């Protein structure tokens, strides 16, 4: 199964993609994680875009994704989280693969800002918390492994506002290219997961 999750930053795409991919036995591909996992000169190039809240250029992004698709774990399918983010990316994706389902996870910009300004992740295991809505038991420490919780370099208010603006301008028009199913992302994590699975299992 090949699925795309679309939603403004903070809509829960990453959280849901992790949960739903496990349930379906497919791989979760986050292009944000893919970019953040780069090192050396490539990472420097990537950071020059993403830390300020700008998109990584389409051509370079699709090349990285194509390489990722060639890995063995993609054979059973995938959930794409964070891609496509522009109409050219969607068109390029259409040339290299089929897509079974597109899910739009919908939240308001106000909620997106509230979530993103409070977002922290464990530097070791990557588990996510929210200081406003889902704080850790011990301040600054991961509930799972006790490691330090860190804020992403692009989760600053100016970068957050820029990313939300870019979502509306560059990413939302993609929805016109697909027949997507809309899920209310302002429900509990469990309810959003249930709603997504209902669409995918139909
Ligand atoms: P995310 O983790 O999905 O919020 O992505 C973090 C940042 O990585 C974004 O703000 C962009 O700068 C960059 N990024 C992730 N996916 C893409 C993409 N499909 N195209 C261009 N840039 C991307």
């Amino acid at each position: 199964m090949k699925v795309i999750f679309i939603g403004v930053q903070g809509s829960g795409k990453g959280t849901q993609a992790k949960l739903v991919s496990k349930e379906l036995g497919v791989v979760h591909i986050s292009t944000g994680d893919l970019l953040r996992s780069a090192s050396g000169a490539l990472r420097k190039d990537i950071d020059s875009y993403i830390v300020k809240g700008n998109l990584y250029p389409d051509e370079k992004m699709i090349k990285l994704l194509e390489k990722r698709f060639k890995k063995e774990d993609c054979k059973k399918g995938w959930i794409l989280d964070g891609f496509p983010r522009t109409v050219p990316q969607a068109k390029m994706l259409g040339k290299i693969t089929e897509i079974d389902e597109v899910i739009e996870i919908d939240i308001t910009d106000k909620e997106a800002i509230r979530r993103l300004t409070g977002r922290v992740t464990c530097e070791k295991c990557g588990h996510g918390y929210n200081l406003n809505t889902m704080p850790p038991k011990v301040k600054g420490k991961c509930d799972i492994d006790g490691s330090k919780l860190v804020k992403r370099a692009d989760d600053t208010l100016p970068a957050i506002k820029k990313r939300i603006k870019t979502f509306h301008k560059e990413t939302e028009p993609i929805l016109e290219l697909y027949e997507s199913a809309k899920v209310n992302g302002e429900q509990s994590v469990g309810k959003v997961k249930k709603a997504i699975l209902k669409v995918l299992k139909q």
Side-chain angles (χ1 to χ4, degrees):
M1 179 164 253
K2 295 175 173 174
V3 184
I4 293 173
F5 282 3
I6 294 182
V8 72
Q9 287 76 1
S11 59
K13 293 189 302 294
T15 304
Q16 293 299 331
K18 269 194 195 86
L19 297 170
V20 175
S21 60
K22 249 190 211 147
E23 187 104 11
L24 299 178
V26 298
V27 68
H28 165 207
I29 303 177
S30 149
T31 46
D33 287 348
L34 200 64
L35 295 171
R36 283 184 292 272
S37 70
S39 53
L42 177 61
R43 177 62 190 253
K44 258 195 165 168
D45 178 47
I46 290 170
D47 275 352
S48 71
Y49 295 91
I50 76 173
V51 172
K52 291 185 208 122
N54 295 321
L55 291 179
Y56 195 52
D58 290 338
E59 295 287 340
K60 294 184 185 184
M61 186 70 249
I62 194 101
K63 268 196 192 129
L64 287 178
L65 186 62
E66 266 191 287
K67 207 167 146 200
R68 180 69 187 85
F69 278 160
K70 291 200 174 107
K71 293 203 173 156
E72 189 62 31
D73 62 355
C74 290
K75 292 236 161 82
K76 278 195 213 150
W78 32 254
I79 295 180
L80 263 186
D81 150 22
F83 192 98
R85 256 184 162 95
T86 64
V87 168
Q89 286 184 11
K91 289 190 173 156
M92 284 190 249
L93 184 68
K95 285 189 189 144
I96 61 169
T97 185
E98 304 273 301
I99 292 139
D100 298 310
E101 197 72 58
V102 178
I103 308 263
E104 179 192 359
I105 305 179
D106 187 41
I107 64 166
T108 61
D109 288 358
K110 197 173 159 205
E111 178 63 9
I113 291 175
R114 192 174 79 96
R115 290 183 184 182
L116 292 171
T117 49
R119 183 160 78 170
V120 285
T121 23
C122 171
E123 65 176 359
K124 196 167 164 211
C125 73
H127 189 77
Y129 298 87
N130 194 295
L131 302 178
N132 303 324
T133 56
M134 270 194 305
K137 289 193 190 104
V138 178
K139 197 178 160 197
K141 297 224 182 303
C142 177
D143 291 353
I144 299 164
D145 58 25
S147 300
K148 198 172 143 198
L149 299 180
V150 290
K151 221 172 158 46
R152 266 173 45 172
D154 58 349
D155 276 347
T156 59
L157 195 57
I160 288 168
K161 285 191 172 158
K162 193 187 249 181
R163 284 154 60 210
I164 293 176
K165 211 169 155 191
T166 304
F167 173 80
H168 292 303
K169 192 163 165 250
E170 308 273 354
T171 310
E172 241 169 9
I174 288 175
L175 291 166
E176 284 168 27
L177 304 177
Y178 302 113
E179 224 177 88
S180 58
K182 193 177 199 159
V183 168
N184 173 9
E186 293 196 15
Q187 313 172 83
S188 68
V189 170
K191 280 192 178 154
V192 177
K193 179 184 162 196
K194 217 170 148 188
I196 293 173
L197 285 171
K198 195 173 162 201
V199 173
L200 297 180
K201 288 182 173 169
Q202 258 167 16

